[in-house]
Amino acid sequence: MSSLTILEPGPLATIQDRGRAGQAALGVPASGACDRSPYELANRLVGNRPGAAALEVTFGGLVLHADVDLVVAITGAPCTGVPLNAPATLRAGQLLRLGPPVTGLRTYVAVRGGIDVPPVLGSRSTDLLSGLGPAPLTPGLTLPVGRAVEPMPGVDLAPVAHPAGGQVALRVTPGPRRDWFTDAGWESLLSQTYQVSSNSNRVGVRLDGRPLERATAGELASEGMARGAIQIPPSGTPVIFLADHPVTGGYPVIAYVADADLDACAQLRPGQPVRLVS
Amino acid sequence: MRILPAGDRALLVELDDLDEVLGYYAALTADAPADVVDIVPAARTVLVTTTGDLATLSRALHDVTPTRDSRTTGDLVDIPVIYDGADLGDVADLLGCSQDDVIARHTADEWTVAFCGFAPGFGYLTSTGSWDIPRRSSPRTKVPTGAVALAGEFSGVYPRESPGGWQLIGRTTAKIFDQERDPAALFHPGRRVRFVDAGRG
């Protein structure tokens, strides 16, 4: 059996695929790769079937050992010391060491054949909120690599932009509870420069800034929320829901991030300035 | 009924009360529009996510007529309960009745899974009885798997060990959520549930 062994996971590394969408009515979060387009690209570059499981590496630091000859592709946040956005061969015994990313937060490592751990509820994704799926990667863990593949693509290098450093603008539209906030609160959401909090994770990106003014004091009955929901808890500062968000939430959603800008949310680093624009 | 915006991939249907949510969810799931990914009922709302066009979805959602009597149409599952929960006495005091009366009421009512949330497979069950139980003032950091509990108008069973603020009245050995089983969740929205007294252990 083909495999690789994790020597160091870095700050956090998990197994991710397209997730478990379609089971939210049972309280099962969607989970899946946080930044979807580089995850998909990594699989394409190694000729994997769509939806194959890959590694999601948070802020670099992953060291893995090729137990046999492997074909890999590394995408997303550009880590130093490794080839990016192109298929590469690792010889048996060779190590792959991801340095820190130059920009962005999450890097994807796809292996030809896919990470072949047993699926849970139709997905191999680690869900940090619900605890479903495989545990986060730990030193010494050997991961099986599958055999199901398609022909290698005739691509040497995929021309993709790296995640943005510096200030990022995210397009938003009014959410279902926009009217729970005053016009001044809405203007404040769109006019201030937020900073990404270090409390951010796969559940959500927390933003530090000035609290928003509420128009309604009451409590919201919990309601369904989708990826990209901008929830405003009692602190008054936004939480943008990412892949492992709970299926329902009890705080009003003032706005949603545009679908096209959701992947960018997954690459925001603590301290990075963010503007929300309509 | 109001249809509220929820980003590029979802709409939030707001309804009058939980009964209307049950009826709307039953009607919508019986004949789901094309491209729908998830239908998520909650206390007053149903969130619908799609891979398709929002305008088309909005028209389809407007046209849904909530099913009547949806509390009595789901399939029925019996849950055996050992009524020895740590808060059974407190609940009896809150209701001004005996512990046996609490058990009698809990087993006599027919419950319906209104929606799920909090954890995979955690169902919020409602009955036509008038329950209104406050949560514990300080939540427990550890509620065991299978704990049968009350809070507000709802009853529920903890699918796995977790923190929780509901009042614990008993426990069941029924597997509420088992990721190796298909379907994994015993409680899905619309399912009817009867609690059966399995003694005091």
Side-chain angles (χ1 to χ4, degrees):
Chain A
M1 178 112 182
S2 188
S3 67
L4 59 86
T5 299
I6 304 297
L7 301 186
E8 292 171 31
L12 173 71
T14 60
I15 299 170
Q16 297 297 335
D17 59 15
R18 288 178 170 177
R20 307 184 175 83
Q23 302 173 78
L26 304 178
V28 175
S31 190
C34 257
D35 188 350
R36 296 164 296 186
S37 62
Y39 154 76
E40 299 285 346
L41 173 64
N43 270 337
R44 284 200 301 278
L45 287 171
V46 295
N48 274 348
R49 292 188 179 163
L55 306 181
E56 181 180 281
V57 181
T58 313
F59 213 78
L62 178 90
V63 182
L64 70 79
H65 174 269
D67 300 342
V68 296
D69 288 359
L70 298 173
V71 176
V72 301
I74 301 164
T75 61
C79 289
T80 54
V82 291
L84 297 169
N85 300 321
T89 299
L90 283 182
R91 293 292 169 202
Q94 224 178 333
L95 299 186
L96 182 71
R97 287 176 186 275
L98 274 63
V102 178
T103 58
L105 187 64
R106 295 187 170 95
T107 305
Y108 294 85
V109 181
V111 183
R112 182 164 167 80
I115 304 296
D116 197 19
V117 294
V120 172
L121 302 180
S123 166
R124 296 176 170 85
S125 289
T126 300
D127 182 340
L128 295 177
L129 180 80
S130 74
L132 293 172
L137 304 184
T138 47
L141 185 67
T142 295
L143 297 174
V145 173
R147 287 181 197 179
V149 290
E150 293 181 353
M152 283 294 288
V155 181
D156 292 335
L157 182 67
V160 290
H162 294 326
Q167 182 169 296
V168 172
L170 303 171
R171 288 162 289 178
V172 302
T173 52
R177 305 302 170 190
R178 154 69 183 89
D179 60 359
W180 282 48
F181 298 85
T182 61
D183 286 347
W186 177 253
E187 290 305 320
S188 175
L189 180 80
L190 298 180
S191 61
Q192 62 179 297
T193 302
Y194 286 104
Q195 275 208 328
V196 176
S197 160
S198 55
N199 280 331
S200 304
N201 54 28
R202 283 181 43 86
V203 175
V205 176
R206 288 172 186 276
L207 300 179
D208 290 332
R210 294 187 302 283
L212 305 183
E213 187 181 50
R214 284 266 293 258
T216 314
E219 264 191 50
L220 184 74
S222 287
E223 59 191 24
M225 294 181 182
R227 198 188 282 213
I230 304 179
Q231 191 178 246
I232 309 292
S235 64
T237 51
V239 182
I240 305 171
F241 274 165
L242 294 185
D244 289 357
H245 73 85
V247 298
T248 60
Y251 302 120
V253 171
I254 189 172
Y256 266 85
V257 174
D259 199 53
D261 290 353
L262 267 179
D263 278 358
C265 292
Q267 294 294 358
L268 294 171
R269 288 183 176 193
Q272 199 165 357
V274 174
R275 294 289 305 272
L276 303 175
V277 300
S278 67
Chain B
M1 177 175 83
R2 285 203 303 163
I3 295 185
L4 303 170
D8 295 335
R9 291 277 171 259
L11 292 168
L12 186 70
V13 183
E14 187 176 58
L15 298 151
D16 287 341
D17 54 32
L18 191 50
D19 272 326
E20 203 183 5
V21 169
L22 285 168
Y24 192 92
Y25 178 78
L28 187 59
T29 49
D31 185 19
D35 303 327
V36 162
V37 178
D38 271 304
I39 303 174
V40 190
R44 298 286 175 273
T45 55
V46 178
L47 180 81
V48 185
T49 62
T50 181
T51 55
D53 172 59
L54 282 186
T56 310
L57 177 64
S58 182
R59 281 194 295 278
L61 294 179
H62 269 292
D63 290 343
V64 173
T65 308
T67 309
R68 284 162 179 255
D69 304 325
S70 51
R71 278 183 189 274
T72 56
T73 49
D75 60 331
L76 180 69
V77 61
D78 281 351
I79 302 293
V81 179
I82 296 164
Y83 283 96
D84 62 357
D87 303 325
L88 185 60
D90 286 351
V91 171
D93 291 346
L94 282 163
L95 294 173
C97 65
S98 71
Q99 296 190 15
D100 284 343
D101 290 340
V102 176
I103 297 166
R105 279 184 61 184
H106 196 247
T107 52
D109 277 4
E110 189 173 284
W111 298 83
T112 304
V113 181
F115 53 91
C116 294
F118 174 64
F122 187 98
Y124 290 73
L125 281 54
T126 67
S127 79
T128 49
S130 53
W131 297 86
D132 185 13
I133 307 291
R135 287 165 192 247
R136 284 173 52 82
S137 48
S138 66
R140 289 188 170 85
T141 53
K142 222 188 237 186
V143 173
T145 303
V148 178
L150 294 165
E153 62 184 298
F154 301 110
S155 190
V157 184
Y158 284 81
R160 60 165 190 221
E161 186 181 287
S162 63
W166 290 30
Q167 309 270 6
L168 310 184
I169 60 170
R171 58 195 158 93
T172 181
T173 54
K175 275 205 163 185
I176 299 302
F177 189 83
D178 179 358
Q179 66 182 39
E180 306 300 330
R181 184 177 62 196
D182 187 19
L186 195 59
F187 293 165
H188 55 80
R191 187 161 216 186
R192 291 181 299 144
V193 176
R194 206 163 45 195
F195 293 103
V196 179
D197 187 359
R200 301 276 191 123

